[in-house]
Amino acid sequence: MPRPIFSRHGVCPLPRLPFALLFIAFSASAQPALPTAEQSFDLFARFMLEGDADAAAQVSQLTGAPLRNERWEDAVDRVVLGDTPADDARTRLGRELSRQIALALQQTHCRSTGSERRDNDGLQIAIVDYTCQMPDLAAQGDAAPAGADSEHDALSDVRAAITRLQHAPSRAQTHQVILARNSDSDPWIPQDLPPLHVWVERLLLPE
């Protein structure tokens, strides 16, 4: 079970666990024009990071299967709180943190800025550059949790994380992602797009 992103000691780094993106081979039957590699990245980013229902439907159509069996907001809650959070002060405050994280994710607006083809051994490969608007936590000083032992101080760490997300200026960050497909009749599928819990970690911890 994934470890919640905050504990009695405050906000803590996330475990490196895989996020369950379902990548299904696309049928070669007649279909509308397929998105380009750049357009495909934008769809997956809107689906995973912004909870965009229209993008989720398009990704589902491309892959031939539904990608999520829960609301996007519930997926964010599960990353932040864990699977079975207790009904206590930490959980209630954690739900507010989850709401701020969801809002920050929706504001990342990760979009492609260009791509380069690097086909290899019959596999079509595209390296897509993209830019995201991320909270600049470093501009506000050290965002690491204080690590205090008391429940009061742990809750204070979570409140501080909420405040940082609310007031941090945004800063553009650029990254690359690999997309691949077998042929022109297949959709472009991201191969190394970071899972949701890694994006949550990026929002909470400065580079």
Side-chain angles (χ1 to χ4, degrees):
M1 180 174 68
R3 181 181 167 197
I5 60 104
F6 72 95
S7 68
R8 65 186 300 272
H9 302 301
V11 179
C12 59
L14 293 164
R16 299 287 178 177
L17 297 178
F19 179 68
L21 272 178
L22 179 61
F23 295 144
I24 303 297
F26 179 69
S27 169
S29 60
Q31 296 287 338
L34 293 173
T36 66
E38 294 177 23
Q39 292 169 338
S40 296
F41 167 79
D42 291 350
L43 279 176
F44 275 89
R46 286 167 50 204
F47 154 67
M48 188 178 77
L49 300 179
E50 300 174 28
D52 186 312
D54 180 62
Q58 293 182 63
V59 169
S60 178
Q61 184 178 16
L62 283 175
T63 59
L67 296 184
R68 180 181 292 126
N69 58 6
E70 63 182 338
R71 295 169 60 248
W72 177 77
E73 292 83 358
D74 293 337
V76 176
D77 269 356
R78 181 163 46 80
V79 170
V80 176
L81 299 169
D83 290 325
T84 56
D87 184 15
D88 55 21
R90 278 186 298 166
T91 297
R92 290 188 290 273
L93 190 59
R95 293 195 188 284
E96 175 57 29
L97 176 60
S98 180
R99 286 190 288 271
Q100 292 299 324
I101 287 171
L103 180 61
L105 284 170
Q106 291 172 329
Q107 294 175 343
T108 54
H109 198 69
C110 294
R111 296 294 184 268
S112 59
T113 58
S115 64
E116 177 185 352
R117 289 289 291 272
R118 297 183 187 176
D119 298 351
N120 185 37
D121 293 333
L123 184 67
Q124 296 185 14
I125 298 173
I127 309 298
V128 174
D129 298 307
Y130 65 96
T131 299
C132 304
Q133 299 299 320
M134 301 291 288
D136 188 3
L137 301 181
Q140 297 182 315
D142 185 9
D149 292 330
S150 72
E151 179 77 4
H152 172 76
D153 287 336
L155 293 180
S156 295
D157 285 341
V158 179
R159 292 189 187 95
I162 293 171
T163 299
R164 285 193 294 270
L165 285 175
Q166 289 173 330
H167 299 290
S170 63
R171 179 170 65 91
Q173 292 185 9
T174 58
H175 304 277
Q176 288 185 327
V177 62
I178 298 172
L179 286 86
R181 65 181 182 180
N182 290 317
S183 70
D184 292 343
S185 61
D186 295 321
W188 289 102
I189 300 297
Q191 303 299 302
D192 57 351
L193 185 63
L196 183 60
H197 77 267
V198 172
W199 286 98
V200 173
E201 186 179 59
R202 288 178 176 178
L203 290 176
L204 294 173
L205 301 175
E207 287 190 333

